[in-house]
Amino acid sequence: QVQLVESGGKLVQTGDSLKLSCAASGRTVGSYTMAWFRQAPGKEREFVARIRWNSGDTYYAESVKGRFTISRDNAKNTVYLQMNSLKPEDTAVYYCAARPGTLSPYNSWGQGTQVTVSS
């Protein structure tokens, strides 16, 4: 498994931007798929975005498409989530996840970072 550590969450206002980071360690993630999920209070965890490390191919949930951008830095073994035009409904704990390849379950998870968007 890969060890994942998220950072960057904080309290922001509606319309603000925020960038989350997820540092990966423990294994080479060149063949991995990395993703961001989020969980709002009282709701189930939901998918936000994913990136295939080797190709850079990305995919987004409809609710964030056009506002969020997932990217990776090979040298730093880090995945980012740039969030723009934040809305109160984006308030959640954001989790970084990793899985080997493209079809297996996500089997590595970070501890989460809180993002709160005030109206």
Side-chain angles (χ1 to χ4, degrees):
Q1 289 187 338
V2 178
Q3 286 74 53
L4 303 171
V5 178
E6 303 100 331
S7 62
K10 65 178 184 179
L11 172 64
V12 296
Q13 295 187 343
T14 298
D16 283 354
S17 296
L18 191 63
K19 189 173 186 177
L20 305 182
S21 300
C22 171
S25 63
R27 294 182 68 99
T28 302
V29 294
S31 62
Y32 274 60
T33 299
M34 308 294 291
W36 288 94
F37 290 76
R38 66 187 182 186
Q39 187 167 19
K43 295 187 177 181
E44 293 188 354
R45 187 176 298 185
E46 65 172 357
F47 167 82
V48 174
R50 67 99 174 119
I51 185 166
R52 292 174 178 164
W53 195 280
N54 52 5
S55 68
D57 177 67
T58 59
Y59 182 78
Y60 298 90
E62 284 297 322
S63 58
V64 306
K65 195 175 294 184
R67 298 189 299 123
F68 291 11
T69 302
I70 188 171
S71 62
R72 86 273 196 239
D73 184 321
N74 290 333
K76 295 182 178 180
N77 235 30
T78 298
V79 174
Y80 303 99
L81 186 68
Q82 176 68 47
M83 305 183 292
N84 299 328
S85 302
L86 282 162
K87 307 173 182 180
E89 50 264 44
D90 294 317
T91 295
V93 177
Y94 283 72
Y95 296 91
C96 180
R99 66 182 181 189
T102 60
L103 299 177
S104 61
Y106 288 97
N107 62 356
S108 297
W109 293 85
Q111 81 288 351
T113 186
Q114 176 71 48
V115 173
T116 303
V117 184
S118 65
S119 57

